[in-house]
Amino acid sequence: MFDTESASHLIQLALREDLGEAGDLTSKATLPDETRLRGRIVAKANGVIAGLPLVAMVYAQIDPTVEVRLICRDGDTVEQGTLVAEVEGKGQSVLTGERVALNFLQRLSGIATLTSQFVGAAKGTKTAILDTRKTTPGWRLLEKYAVTQGGGQNHRIGLYDMVMIKDNHIDGAGSITEAVEAVRAYQPASGVPIEVEVRNLDELREVLPLNVDRVLLDNMTNEQMCEAVKLTAGRVKLEASGNMSLERVPAVAATGVDYISVGALTHSAPALDLSMKIVRL
Amino acid sequence: MFDTESASHLIQLALREDLGEAGDLTSKATLPDETRLRGRIVAKANGVIAGLPLVAMVYAQIDPTVEVRLICRDGDTVEQGTLVAEVEGKGQSVLTGERVALNFLQRLSGIATLTSQFVGAAKGTKTAILDTRKTTPGWRLLEKYAVTQGGGQNHRIGLYDMVMIKDNHIDGAGSITEAVEAVRAYQPASGVPIEVEVRNLDELREVLPLNVDRVLLDNMTNEQMCEAVKLTAGRVKLEASGNMSLERVPAVAATGVDYISVGALTHSAPALDLSMKIVRL
Amino acid sequence: MFDTESASHLIQLALREDLGEAGDLTSKATLPDETRLRGRIVAKANGVIAGLPLVAMVYAQIDPTVEVRLICRDGDTVEQGTLVAEVEGKGQSVLTGERVALNFLQRLSGIATLTSQFVGAAKGTKTAILDTRKTTPGWRLLEKYAVTQGGGQNHRIGLYDMVMIKDNHIDGAGSITEAVEAVRAYQPASGVPIEVEVRNLDELREVLPLNVDRVLLDNMTNEQMCEAVKLTAGRVKLEASGNMSLERVPAVAATGVDYISVGALTHSAPALDLSMKIVRL
Amino acid sequence: MFDTESASHLIQLALREDLGEAGDLTSKATLPDETRLRGRIVAKANGVIAGLPLVAMVYAQIDPTVEVRLICRDGDTVEQGTLVAEVEGKGQSVLTGERVALNFLQRLSGIATLTSQFVGAAKGTKTAILDTRKTTPGWRLLEKYAVTQGGGQNHRIGLYDMVMIKDNHIDGAGSITEAVEAVRAYQPASGVPIEVEVRNLDELREVLPLNVDRVLLDNMTNEQMCEAVKLTAGRVKLEASGNMSLERVPAVAATGVDYISVGALTHSAPALDLSMKIVRL
Amino acid sequence: MFDTESASHLIQLALREDLGEAGDLTSKATLPDETRLRGRIVAKANGVIAGLPLVAMVYAQIDPTVEVRLICRDGDTVEQGTLVAEVEGKGQSVLTGERVALNFLQRLSGIATLTSQFVGAAKGTKTAILDTRKTTPGWRLLEKYAVTQGGGQNHRIGLYDMVMIKDNHIDGAGSITEAVEAVRAYQPASGVPIEVEVRNLDELREVLPLNVDRVLLDNMTNEQMCEAVKLTAGRVKLEASGNMSLERVPAVAATGVDYISVGALTHSAPALDLSMKIVRL
Amino acid sequence: MFDTESASHLIQLALREDLGEAGDLTSKATLPDETRLRGRIVAKANGVIAGLPLVAMVYAQIDPTVEVRLICRDGDTVEQGTLVAEVEGKGQSVLTGERVALNFLQRLSGIATLTSQFVGAAKGTKTAILDTRKTTPGWRLLEKYAVTQGGGQNHRIGLYDMVMIKDNHIDGAGSITEAVEAVRAYQPASGVPIEVEVRNLDELREVLPLNVDRVLLDNMTNEQMCEAVKLTAGRVKLEASGNMSLERVPAVAATGVDYISVGALTHSAPALDLSMKIVRL
């Protein structure tokens, strides 16, 4: 689930952009070679941690003799002051990796934290929180991993592992029914699941007999969604979508939809505040 | 200033993660080959645009016969409803590129927009808004470009183009003075500028005679910063740093510091809301 | 059909070899940054256009803010003076891309043009014009695309998508019949089509009962080909091959063969004369 | 001078596009593993050979146990029937490399041959034949090497190793004089040579005192060129350019210009006819 | 069997690490360009040759005009003084490739030679000598090729092409029987062969009815192995493993086991002594 | 000194060749996902350790949640039974990395161990032990690092960082003196050190006045070397070379030469015997 390949690639990009040719000039000029430091990564706010494997990988790349102790695990809830991880070794190496390691950890923990807030807002219902394809280019698999660490579930990975029929596809094919048939004819035995986006109850009624895997209720009011749930009566999974804020989630979840998908999880999560305290050994 | 090389690389990553091997199954199955569409990228919120070249590059990569018309330019202020760009061509291609193009544009415009808000908060003073190294791994040059489009200025690019002496370096070298001397001895004629971080006025007094290029005032109160500005009397540039919120910026700028650096510009900017409306031709 | 992957790769090679590290010294030294230019790509000879997507891709790589308007489409017939495309933007960028863009467009248009002349020479018959594997290394897919824009058809892409049994293979296997059987035994259910090369009518007679997909008539006289067509009576497709000049094609097509394959389409097509006229804005 | 790096890269591209995943199906199916063949590369037309190192490199890549004997050397003049090289080894390997090896050798020999014809047309004068930047993308260094094997000389490699001031640069800078000064100010001590393009004798007169390295006479009549040579009196090298055909070269060379540059050498040279005769061992 | 892809990749690495940016300074400074040399690769000890294709590939990469004549073939037994190969061409090129070519040839010939000694020690029995996965990272396919040239056979290539159930897997699954069943359930129709490691005869008795492909007798005494052979009575192939020295092999082979696997073949083979004598032409 | 870049590259190659597409079939089929294991890397023979950073890097690549504790440091002397390192984490990951990690560690520790034996044989003298360019292609920097961990010193890295004039270079230039002059003229101010190889005392006498940096005494007897040391009287550093065995080193070192270079350190060092004991948690 944690994708080491894209992690490894982004670490290379990150080190190249932070170090250039000349490297960490300040540390090389001021720290004696024999200085050893311990860096303690500590939470400065409450949240959920995600991305610890990247801390280990960053230091393995910079200087594999730096020891990395992961005190927390991904998915752990932390409070302000919680010790999350420690790194210890050659002082220059510890400082050189500090910012890159934190940039990864803060971003992914920010996503896990925001996700856990949405999941909390739907607590007590059977509604799951989903991410979207609104991810940072180059980071999709890592961000979708962070969503799972916050208690969310993953929507499709990309355009290739699930069909999502929207209005333009329906226009292209002629009707909802024709669109679904076109998809089934395209790759008869592929097993790729099909979701259809509907904007009102009439469209929902047209989809229901088609036996698709999921229906997306696009920008409906809570009342419309209640109606949709009743109408559907469990025959297909329902996903609510469209500007879902933390404030609105409890009411939407109460309608009985199966999923709420939230673009903000990945496109607008603020970083979780974490810092590295340096101790001399 | 706009870095086409990292742009081009991230586009490749983004297309690979969104398309996989199978590509956009839905569009291929439902849209006739001859269908031509126009996509109109429209702002759904007020903000500042950044990243339009990436829209052109994404479509050039997917299908170079798609025409891209950039109506706005990077740095333009837009209001809800402003038409930002249009793409027109083969329908399957227009839809396939929609999300990747928006993911780039929304993220960078989000950064430009947040930057412009900080710049606005310092208006009427001589204080410039700076970014930091707290960027998304792989995205540093693009994000720093977005900061400039929002009216901000760039701090150092990485560890290699400016020296920043913090407390651990001072400990390593023995004192502030020794640290500055160590740096100057390290690369005598390199011309790399030097900044020193100070936590109180005593440290500032020690730095002033050393003739460095900039001093970072770390987590000081507004009163301390006022003192620092007086004490310095223009002999060196001063940068205020540490949890700078939009609310606090006017008062900090009023102290007379030259720069305020803000990590949130790049690590916590929410995406600017933009969408692509599809029109059939 | 147009292969963006190899296009993208060749563009990178082309820009690297033309720009080196230092870039376009002349334009950078002489053109003010704010100068904007329009470049009008105009035909200086009659011909068929191929390769316009590459013009868009070249400029997207150099400077994505340059606007590219493709006036013609690939496959269009142009006369001397026809406006083919326009580019407009920062002057330095327009000039920097001029030669690379034209090098792609002239070469592929040259191939499309020569192909269209061969297709014209076979007009009124049912004979199609085919390319060969005699392509420029690194350019096969682009050159085969250009052939289709000139009205030709593609022979096999490489050694892997069609079997072509020539004399050395027949010697190796023992006889024509044994060679065909060896191929069928090698990958029983692969569905890869089989063509056999014959040098005289006796060999043709041996092939006919073997139920292969195509027979290549190697270096036969027009009379032999007439005989071959009669003998075959439609039971298998016939391809004429061997030094096919424009002058000879009408007579060969008149024999009734299904295909004429022409190596010169890709290995000896002169570039189509196109130039970029620069206008100051 | 022969660039093994781009050679090696193009060979990889060529083998990939010819072999795909499945390889040479025909040879693998029909030739017994133990069959050994000798391939004799023979000229089928008169010309000049270039590209023999590529034949060795292609086979070293496919099967390094194939022995390659280069009978001719690059730059040798051959007649129809001349044995150029021999390869000998495992039959499947010999056949698999045949077309790729010939595609390289025929193209580069075609360029060397056309170059030698232009050089021959200028024989008895001091005028050298130059190539241009009108090369096949990805092939510039190899094609410029082939030009030297045909007796030509290389013009600049790209935009980075020589300045060439044309009308648009002159417009940008204000005048010829200002353009030359702008270039010299841009990189004062770079040592990069400067060439200026002129369209008439007035422009030539303006250039002469500027002490540049070369002047390009653009599309002038033979009479104008005679005048230009007189006017210049050896103070600067003169290059004649613009649709230089084989027929016109003797008269142009007779005007006394130092160079004639010919785009056709690289953009319109037909392949030299070479084939590989296979002998069973 | 000889893997040109990893060979080609290692040659690139080797040339880069030996030549750096500056290349062979000594040869370039001291050898006139026109000096031609012949290098004669001669055995300085008895052994078995492996790796000759790499000699051809190294020189094709450095300078494809250097002629390489392979006098011996891989697998040949040589004595001190045997001429193995000759290279001839430009003197600088011959010397530049000497060490890299020998480094490949000496290492692989060392492995082939040690293997042939083990094979010799088992002569007169039906026992085959196998290699292991204890290979030099990056070199596995080449080293396993060298083992075959010395008369050995290849064990599995990696973790992916044969299952090898050891004690930890047995603990994980619960028992030998459960482990074998787990493997068969994991990929029912994969056809991947299964080997089980046993440490005593009781474990062997448990394995025999399970119908696996091979059993590894781990660190058994010769007496135990005799028992194992009797007990097995040909129902499954037996592999002896664990610190197998040249001295011990005859007795182990005499027990009747089918295979002896020897890690030292690849992890501890000394290089075969070979040198290149240079002759001036 | 430890080169993380080539380490990282070889780890990728090693994992690819051991895991293929399918990965560690046995562990995946038999070990429950929740099984956690500890692997204890223990010496099974006396020696010197080198390569521990690679163990950390291998596991960071396979599964960064595996904890790696390096008990020893590179350069430590170990005895049979010494615990060298521990890894702990998901059982499948621990087993999957076992062989690759050991392959690196055993090879480099083998080199460090053999080096330390040569260093020990020269103990009590001022003679240093040097490596050569006879390294495993792709491994040069890692192997030279291992030599330093065993107490040896590094000779030149490649052909580019030191000049080594041998007999063929002397022949090429005309004489020793001319060769040295040619080198100095080639790159006058490069500062690259110069070594000259001599085969007898006459050649040594010719070299001494030339003020080079080092002289290599090629295949001399101990008596000749004694003479050479006397003759030189400290004016230049002397390196003894040519089939230096452990047995011979004490006598050679006693002659007073400054260096003894030993190809066997890198081309013939047997692996150090190390194994990983697995403990269930």
Side-chain angles (χ1 to χ4, degrees), chain D residues 58-266:
Chain D
V58 164
Y59 279 103
Q61 202 59 35
I62 291 174
D63 177 353
T65 65
V66 169
E67 279 186 63
V68 177
R69 279 184 297 277
L70 307 178
I71 314 294
C72 295
R73 298 197 171 199
D74 279 0
D76 284 0
T77 299
V78 297
E79 298 187 354
Q80 189 180 345
T82 303
L83 175 64
V84 172
E86 283 189 336
V87 298
E88 180 176 331
K90 192 177 180 187
Q92 293 172 2
S93 306
V94 168
L95 292 184
T96 299
E98 171 187 1
R99 176 70 7 240
V100 169
L102 286 176
N103 282 349
F104 278 107
L105 193 61
Q106 291 188 246
R107 171 163 199 80
L108 293 179
S109 299
I111 290 171
T113 300
L114 184 58
T115 303
S116 75
Q117 293 165 357
F118 273 89
V119 170
K123 212 175 168 179
T125 73
K126 59 153 201 174
T127 309
I129 300 298
L130 296 181
D131 54 27
T132 65
R133 284 169 48 242
K134 298 180 178 180
T135 56
T136 308
W139 281 69
R140 182 162 292 173
L141 294 179
L142 293 180
E143 294 187 344
K144 284 189 169 263
Y145 164 78
V147 165
T148 66
Q149 300 307 300
Q153 294 182 21
N154 291 152
H155 206 300
R156 61 175 175 171
I157 300 302
L159 293 165
Y160 61 90
D161 62 330
M162 187 180 193
V163 162
M164 167 77 89
I165 299 174
K166 303 190 183 179
D167 51 356
N168 295 297
H169 305 111
I170 294 168
D171 286 0
S175 70
I176 291 181
T177 306
E178 285 167 300
V180 171
E181 280 166 2
V183 165
R184 286 181 172 145
Y186 182 69
Q187 294 196 329
S190 73
V192 172
I194 301 177
E195 178 164 13
V196 179
E197 178 181 307
V198 302
R199 284 159 299 182
N200 53 54
L201 298 178
D202 283 349
E203 290 181 356
L204 175 60
R205 282 186 198 98
E206 186 176 350
V207 174
L208 283 177
L210 297 176
N211 203 23
V212 300
D213 301 271
R214 203 189 292 174
V215 172
L216 185 147
L217 309 175
D218 186 39
N219 271 316
M220 290 193 181
T221 62
N222 296 359
E223 293 67 36
Q224 287 176 299
M225 287 192 264
C226 275
E227 276 301 308
V229 169
K230 251 186 260 168
L231 204 63
T232 302
R235 280 174 289 172
V236 69
K237 298 284 183 188
L238 294 177
E239 170 185 346
S241 178
N243 294 311
M244 292 292 164
S245 63
L246 262 180
E247 293 67 31
R248 197 185 160 200
V249 161
V252 175
T255 65
V257 294
D258 301 279
Y259 305 105
I260 298 174
S261 58
V262 186
L265 297 186
T266 50

Side-chain angles (χ1 to χ4, degrees), chain C residues 84-146:
Chain C
V84 173
E86 283 189 335
V87 299
E88 181 176 329
K90 192 177 179 187
Q92 294 173 1
S93 306
V94 168
L95 293 184
T96 298
E98 172 188 1
R99 176 68 9 237
V100 169
L102 286 175
N103 281 350
F104 277 108
L105 192 61
Q106 291 188 246
R107 170 162 200 80
L108 294 179
S109 298
I111 290 171
T113 300
L114 183 59
T115 303
S116 76
Q117 293 165 356
F118 274 89
V119 170
K123 212 175 169 180
T125 72
K126 60 153 200 174
T127 309
I129 300 297
L130 295 182
D131 54 27
T132 64
R133 284 169 49 242
K134 298 181 178 179
T135 55
T136 309
W139 281 69
R140 183 161 293 171
L141 294 179
L142 293 180
E143 293 186 345
K144 285 188 168 264
Y145 165 77

Side-chain angles (χ1 to χ4, degrees), chain B:
Chain B
M1 188 155 250
F2 176 80
D3 182 60
T4 53
E5 190 175 325
S6 61
S8 176
H9 184 68
L10 285 173
I11 288 170
Q12 278 182 39
L13 294 180
L15 292 175
R16 209 180 305 151
E17 67 193 10
D18 207 28
L19 296 174
E21 293 289 311
D24 182 356
L25 291 177
T26 320
S27 297
K28 291 196 290 187
T30 60
L31 283 200
D33 273 6
E34 65 278 11
T35 301
R36 291 179 64 78
L37 298 175
R38 177 180 299 146
R40 297 162 51 84
I41 299 181
V42 176
K44 297 175 66 181
N46 299 346
V48 176
I49 293 294
L52 283 168
L54 285 148
V55 175
M57 292 176 82
V58 164
Y59 278 103
Q61 201 58 34
I62 292 173
D63 176 353
T65 65
V66 170
E67 278 186 63
V68 177
R69 279 184 296 277
L70 307 178
I71 315 295
C72 294
R73 298 197 171 200
D74 279 1
D76 284 0
T77 300
V78 297
E79 299 186 354
Q80 190 179 345
T82 304
L83 175 64
V84 172
E86 283 190 336
V87 299
E88 181 176 329
K90 192 177 179 189
Q92 295 173 1
S93 305
V94 168
L95 293 184
T96 299
E98 172 188 1
R99 176 70 6 241
V100 169
L102 286 175
N103 281 350
F104 277 107
L105 193 61
Q106 291 188 247
R107 170 162 200 81
L108 293 179
S109 299
I111 290 172
T113 300
L114 184 58
T115 303
S116 75
Q117 293 165 356
F118 273 89
V119 169
K123 210 174 172 181
T125 72
K126 58 154 202 172
T127 308
I129 301 298
L130 295 181
D131 54 28
T132 65
R133 286 169 47 241
K134 298 181 178 179
T135 56
T136 309
W139 280 69
R140 182 160 293 170
L141 294 179
L142 293 180
E143 293 187 344
K144 284 188 170 264
Y145 164 77
V147 165
T148 65
Q149 301 306 300
Q153 294 182 21
N154 291 151
H155 206 300
R156 61 175 174 170
I157 300 303
L159 294 165
Y160 62 91
D161 62 331
M162 186 179 194
V163 162
M164 168 77 89
I165 299 174
K166 302 190 184 181
D167 51 355
N168 295 297
H169 304 110
I170 294 168
D171 286 359
S175 70
I176 291 180
T177 305
E178 286 168 298
V180 170
E181 280 167 1
V183 165
R184 285 180 173 146
Y186 183 69
Q187 293 196 329
S190 72
V192 172
I194 301 177
E195 178 164 14
V196 179
E197 178 181 308
V198 303
R199 283 159 299 181
N200 54 52
L201 298 178
D202 284 350
E203 289 181 357
L204 176 60
R205 282 187 198 95
E206 186 177 349
V207 174
L208 284 177
L210 298 176
N211 203 21
V212 300
D213 301 272
R214 202 188 293 175
V215 172
L216 185 147
L217 308 175
D218 185 39
N219 271 316
M220 289 193 183
T221 63
N222 295 359
E223 292 68 35
Q224 284 176 302
M225 287 192 264
C226 274
E227 276 301 308
V229 169
K230 251 186 260 170
L231 204 65
T232 301
R235 280 174 290 172
V236 68
K237 298 285 184 186
L238 294 177
E239 170 186 347
S241 177
N243 294 309
M244 292 291 163
S245 64
L246 262 181
E247 292 69 31
R248 198 186 159 199
V249 160
V252 175
T255 66
V257 294
D258 301 279
Y259 305 105
I260 298 174
S261 57
V262 186
L265 297 186
T266 49
H267 71 52
S268 295
L272 182 64
D273 200 356
L274 294 155
S275 73
M276 189 185 283
K277 316 274 181 204
I278 303 294
V279 186
R280 204 153 180 192
L281 300 179

Side-chain angles (χ1 to χ4, degrees), chain E residues 94-110:
Chain E
V94 168
L95 292 184
T96 298
E98 172 188 0
R99 175 74 0 245
V100 169
L102 286 175
N103 282 348
F104 277 107
L105 193 61
Q106 291 188 246
R107 171 163 199 80
L108 294 178
S109 299

Side-chain angles (χ1 to χ4, degrees), chain C residues 38-250:
Chain C
R38 177 180 298 145
R40 297 164 50 85
I41 299 180
V42 177
K44 296 174 67 182
N46 299 347
V48 175
I49 293 294
L52 283 168
L54 285 149
V55 175
M57 292 176 83
V58 164
Y59 279 103
Q61 202 58 36
I62 291 175
D63 176 354
T65 64
V66 169
E67 278 185 63
V68 177
R69 280 185 295 277
L70 306 178
I71 314 295
C72 294
R73 298 197 172 200
D74 279 359
D76 284 0
T77 299
V78 297
E79 300 187 352
Q80 189 181 346
T82 303
L83 175 63
V84 173
E86 283 189 335
V87 299
E88 181 176 329
K90 192 177 179 187
Q92 294 173 1
S93 306
V94 168
L95 293 184
T96 298
E98 172 188 1
R99 176 68 9 237
V100 169
L102 286 175
N103 281 350
F104 277 108
L105 192 61
Q106 291 188 246
R107 170 162 200 80
L108 294 179
S109 298
I111 290 171
T113 300
L114 183 59
T115 303
S116 76
Q117 293 165 356
F118 274 89
V119 170
K123 212 175 169 180
T125 72
K126 60 153 200 174
T127 309
I129 300 297
L130 295 182
D131 54 27
T132 64
R133 284 169 49 242
K134 298 181 178 179
T135 55
T136 309
W139 281 69
R140 183 161 293 171
L141 294 179
L142 293 180
E143 293 186 345
K144 285 188 168 264
Y145 165 77
V147 164
T148 65
Q149 301 307 300
Q153 293 182 21
N154 292 151
H155 207 300
R156 62 175 175 169
I157 300 302
L159 294 165
Y160 61 90
D161 63 330
M162 186 180 193
V163 163
M164 167 78 89
I165 299 174
K166 302 190 184 180
D167 51 356
N168 295 296
H169 305 110
I170 294 166
D171 286 359
S175 70
I176 289 180
T177 305
E178 286 167 298
V180 170
E181 279 166 3
V183 165
R184 285 180 173 146
Y186 182 70
Q187 294 197 329
S190 72
V192 172
I194 300 177
E195 178 164 14
V196 179
E197 178 182 309
V198 303
R199 283 160 300 181
N200 53 53
L201 298 178
D202 283 349
E203 290 181 356
L204 176 59
R205 282 187 197 95
E206 185 176 350
V207 174
L208 282 178
L210 297 176
N211 202 21
V212 300
D213 301 272
R214 202 189 292 174
V215 172
L216 185 147
L217 309 175
D218 185 39
N219 271 317
M220 290 193 182
T221 63
N222 296 359
E223 292 67 36
Q224 285 176 300
M225 288 191 265
C226 274
E227 277 300 309
V229 169
K230 250 186 261 169
L231 204 65
T232 302
R235 281 175 289 171
V236 68
K237 297 285 184 187
L238 295 177
E239 170 186 345
S241 178
N243 294 311
M244 292 291 165
S245 63
L246 263 180
E247 292 67 31
R248 196 183 161 201
V249 160

